[in-house]
Amino acid sequence: MKTLMAKKIDSRTADYKIGDKEYKRNWFVIDAAGVPLGRLASTVASVLKGKTKPEYTPNVDVGDFVIVVNSDKVVLTGNKANAKLRTYHTGYMGGLKQQKYSHFLEENSDKAIQKAVKGMLPKNSLGRQMIKKLKVFKGAEHNHEAQKPQPLAIKLYNDKAN
Protein backbone atom coordinates (compact mmCIF):
# COMPACT_ATOMS: atom_id res chain seq x y z
CA MET A 1 0.00 0.00 0.00
CA LYS A 2 1.35 3.41 -1.00
CA THR A 3 1.29 6.29 1.40
CA LEU A 4 0.87 9.82 0.23
CA MET A 5 3.63 12.09 1.35
CA ALA A 6 3.22 15.79 1.78
CA LYS A 7 5.29 17.82 -0.62
CA LYS A 8 8.00 19.82 1.12
CA ILE A 9 7.79 23.50 0.27
CA ASP A 10 11.08 25.26 -0.24
CA SER A 11 10.84 28.76 1.17
CA ARG A 12 13.27 30.12 -1.43
CA THR A 13 11.01 29.25 -4.35
CA ALA A 14 7.58 29.68 -2.76
CA ASP A 15 5.61 32.63 -4.06
CA TYR A 16 4.14 35.11 -1.66
CA LYS A 17 0.61 36.06 -2.65
CA ILE A 18 -1.05 38.98 -0.98
CA GLY A 19 -4.67 38.68 0.06
CA ASP A 20 -7.37 41.27 -0.36
CA LYS A 21 -7.26 42.50 3.22
CA GLU A 22 -3.52 42.28 3.88
CA TYR A 23 -2.49 45.67 2.50
CA LYS A 24 -3.35 49.21 3.46
CA ARG A 25 -4.20 51.78 0.84
CA ASN A 26 -2.60 55.17 1.38
CA TRP A 27 -3.82 58.52 0.08
CA PHE A 28 -1.48 60.88 -1.78
CA VAL A 29 -2.04 64.43 -2.97
CA ILE A 30 -0.15 65.84 -5.97
CA ASP A 31 0.03 69.51 -6.93
CA ALA A 32 -0.07 69.68 -10.74
CA ALA A 33 0.86 73.37 -11.03
CA GLY A 34 3.63 73.72 -13.60
CA VAL A 35 4.12 69.97 -14.07
CA PRO A 36 4.14 68.51 -17.62
CA LEU A 37 1.07 66.39 -18.35
CA GLY A 38 2.93 63.23 -19.36
CA ARG A 39 5.25 63.25 -16.36
CA LEU A 40 2.28 63.76 -14.06
CA ALA A 41 0.32 60.94 -15.72
CA SER A 42 3.16 58.42 -15.56
CA THR A 43 3.79 59.14 -11.87
CA VAL A 44 0.10 58.88 -11.01
CA ALA A 45 -0.28 55.65 -13.02
CA SER A 46 2.61 53.96 -11.21
CA VAL A 47 1.12 54.88 -7.81
CA LEU A 48 -2.35 53.69 -8.87
CA LYS A 49 -0.89 50.37 -10.05
CA GLY A 50 1.08 49.93 -6.82
CA LYS A 51 4.50 49.78 -8.47
CA THR A 52 5.95 51.91 -5.69
CA LYS A 53 5.16 49.22 -3.10
CA PRO A 54 7.26 46.14 -2.34
CA GLU A 55 4.19 43.87 -2.47
CA TYR A 56 3.41 44.81 -6.11
CA THR A 57 1.78 42.03 -8.09
CA PRO A 58 0.76 42.62 -11.72
CA ASN A 59 -2.56 40.76 -11.45
CA VAL A 60 -3.70 42.33 -8.16
CA ASP A 61 -4.75 45.90 -7.49
CA VAL A 62 -2.46 46.94 -4.61
CA GLY A 63 -2.25 50.62 -5.57
CA ASP A 64 -3.00 53.72 -3.55
CA PHE A 65 -5.48 56.55 -3.93
CA VAL A 66 -4.25 59.73 -5.66
CA ILE A 67 -5.70 63.25 -5.43
CA VAL A 68 -4.53 65.72 -8.09
CA VAL A 69 -5.10 69.40 -7.35
CA ASN A 70 -4.53 72.47 -9.55
CA SER A 71 -5.25 70.52 -12.72
CA ASP A 72 -5.97 73.78 -14.54
CA LYS A 73 -2.28 74.74 -14.17
CA VAL A 74 -0.82 71.64 -15.84
CA VAL A 75 1.42 72.41 -18.84
CA LEU A 76 2.39 70.81 -22.13
CA THR A 77 6.02 71.04 -23.22
CA GLY A 78 7.20 72.11 -26.65
CA ASN A 79 4.63 72.89 -29.32
CA LYS A 80 2.14 70.23 -28.16
CA ALA A 81 -0.44 72.78 -27.04
CA ASN A 82 -0.99 73.86 -30.65
CA ALA A 83 0.10 70.78 -32.60
CA LYS A 84 -1.57 68.02 -30.59
CA LEU A 85 -5.22 67.33 -31.38
CA ARG A 86 -7.93 65.71 -29.31
CA THR A 87 -10.04 63.56 -31.60
CA TYR A 88 -13.41 62.19 -30.57
CA HIS A 89 -16.63 61.00 -32.21
CA THR A 90 -20.12 62.17 -31.31
CA GLY A 91 -21.76 58.89 -32.30
CA TYR A 92 -23.61 60.33 -35.28
CA MET A 93 -22.66 59.87 -38.91
CA GLY A 94 -19.96 62.33 -39.87
CA GLY A 95 -19.51 63.21 -36.22
CA LEU A 96 -15.70 63.05 -36.06
CA LYS A 97 -14.52 66.11 -34.13
CA GLN A 98 -11.06 67.52 -33.45
CA GLN A 99 -9.88 70.32 -31.21
CA LYS A 100 -6.51 71.68 -30.19
CA TYR A 101 -5.22 70.32 -26.92
CA SER A 102 -4.71 73.85 -25.56
CA HIS A 103 -8.45 74.47 -25.88
CA PHE A 104 -9.21 71.07 -24.31
CA LEU A 105 -6.92 71.87 -21.35
CA GLU A 106 -8.58 75.25 -20.81
CA GLU A 107 -12.09 73.77 -20.71
CA ASN A 108 -11.59 70.28 -19.26
CA SER A 109 -8.21 70.04 -17.58
CA ASP A 110 -9.49 67.41 -15.15
CA LYS A 111 -10.68 65.17 -18.00
CA ALA A 112 -7.36 65.63 -19.81
CA ILE A 113 -5.46 64.29 -16.79
CA GLN A 114 -7.87 61.38 -16.37
CA LYS A 115 -7.55 60.52 -20.07
CA ALA A 116 -3.75 60.62 -19.93
CA VAL A 117 -3.60 58.42 -16.81
CA LYS A 118 -6.19 55.96 -18.14
CA GLY A 119 -4.06 55.47 -21.25
CA MET A 120 -1.16 54.32 -19.06
CA LEU A 121 -3.18 51.76 -17.08
CA PRO A 122 -4.00 48.18 -18.15
CA LYS A 123 -6.83 47.86 -20.66
CA ASN A 124 -8.95 45.39 -18.69
CA SER A 125 -11.19 45.19 -15.62
CA LEU A 126 -8.16 45.74 -13.38
CA GLY A 127 -7.40 49.05 -15.11
CA ARG A 128 -11.02 50.16 -14.75
CA GLN A 129 -10.78 49.37 -11.04
CA MET A 130 -7.53 51.37 -10.72
CA ILE A 131 -8.82 54.53 -12.44
CA LYS A 132 -11.59 54.81 -9.83
CA LYS A 133 -8.91 55.60 -7.21
CA LEU A 134 -7.96 58.82 -9.04
CA LYS A 135 -9.58 62.08 -7.87
CA VAL A 136 -8.85 65.23 -9.94
CA PHE A 137 -9.75 68.78 -8.88
CA LYS A 138 -9.32 72.01 -10.87
CA GLY A 139 -8.53 74.23 -7.90
CA ALA A 140 -6.26 73.92 -4.90
CA GLU A 141 -9.05 72.64 -2.63
CA HIS A 142 -10.27 69.06 -2.36
CA ASN A 143 -12.83 67.32 -0.17
CA HIS A 144 -10.67 64.42 1.06
CA GLU A 145 -9.05 65.96 4.15
CA ALA A 146 -10.55 63.22 6.32
CA GLN A 147 -8.30 60.62 4.64
CA LYS A 148 -5.18 62.60 5.66
CA PRO A 149 -3.42 62.47 2.27
CA GLN A 150 0.36 62.72 2.18
CA PRO A 151 2.01 65.06 -0.33
CA LEU A 152 3.77 63.33 -3.21
CA ALA A 153 6.50 65.19 -5.09
CA ILE A 154 7.16 64.75 -8.81
CA LYS A 155 10.77 64.89 -9.91
CA LEU A 156 11.33 67.13 -12.90
CA TYR A 157 14.29 67.01 -15.25
CA ASN A 158 15.88 70.14 -13.81
CA ASP A 159 15.91 68.50 -10.32
CA LYS A 160 13.16 70.66 -8.90
CA ALA A 161 10.53 68.82 -6.88
CA ASN A 162 6.99 70.09 -7.08
Side-chain angles (χ1 to χ4, degrees), residues 30 39-49 66 68 113 117 121 134 154:
I30 296 177
R39 182 160 303 257
L40 173 72
S42 62
T43 305
V44 169
S46 67
V47 172
L48 288 176
K49 283 181 191 178
V66 177
V68 178
I113 291 175
V117 172
L121 292 176
L134 174 65
I154 297 178

Side-chain angles (χ1 to χ4, degrees), residues 16-74:
Y16 174 73
K17 291 192 175 182
I18 190 164
D20 283 341
K21 306 296 180 196
E22 290 184 27
Y23 53 91
K24 181 179 180 282
R25 295 195 193 276
N26 298 321
W27 284 75
F28 293 103
V29 62
I30 296 177
D31 187 12
V35 179
L37 178 62
R39 182 160 303 257
L40 173 72
S42 62
T43 305
V44 169
S46 67
V47 172
L48 288 176
K49 283 181 191 178
K51 285 194 159 195
T52 57
K53 292 184 169 186
E55 59 265 6
Y56 169 70
T57 310
N59 61 337
V60 180
D61 183 16
V62 294
D64 297 321
F65 287 87
V66 177
I67 303 166
V68 178
V69 294
N70 289 327
S71 69
D72 52 348
K73 297 177 183 163
V74 73

Side-chain angles (χ1 to χ4, degrees), residues 31-159:
D31 187 12
V35 179
L37 178 62
R39 182 160 303 257
L40 173 72
S42 62
T43 305
V44 169
S46 67
V47 172
L48 288 176
K49 283 181 191 178
K51 285 194 159 195
T52 57
K53 292 184 169 186
E55 59 265 6
Y56 169 70
T57 310
N59 61 337
V60 180
D61 183 16
V62 294
D64 297 321
F65 287 87
V66 177
I67 303 166
V68 178
V69 294
N70 289 327
S71 69
D72 52 348
K73 297 177 183 163
V74 73
V75 296
L76 290 174
T77 58
N79 195 23
K80 292 186 200 104
N82 296 322
K84 187 173 180 169
L85 295 174
R86 175 185 176 243
T87 305
Y88 62 100
H89 201 281
T90 62
Y92 292 97
M93 292 186 58
L96 188 66
K97 303 283 184 182
Q98 288 184 338
Q99 70 180 142
K100 289 185 179 180
Y101 227 78
S102 60
H103 185 66
F104 181 50
L105 278 176
E106 287 174 10
E107 290 182 349
N108 302 315
S109 60
D110 51 345
K111 288 183 183 178
I113 291 175
Q114 283 182 339
K115 186 176 181 328
V117 172
K118 188 175 181 182
M120 296 183 183
L121 292 176
K123 279 44 170 197
N124 52 22
S125 59
L126 195 61
R128 290 187 292 273
Q129 185 179 349
M130 290 175 186
I131 195 69
K132 290 179 184 175
K133 296 182 297 184
L134 174 65
K135 317 294 183 195
V136 183
F137 296 95
K138 285 191 177 190
E141 299 296 320
H142 61 85
N143 55 2
H144 296 283
E145 288 88 11
Q147 284 77 21
K148 299 182 183 82
Q150 305 162 356
L152 184 67
I154 297 178
K155 284 292 270 182
L156 301 176
Y157 277 127
N158 52 6
D159 293 328

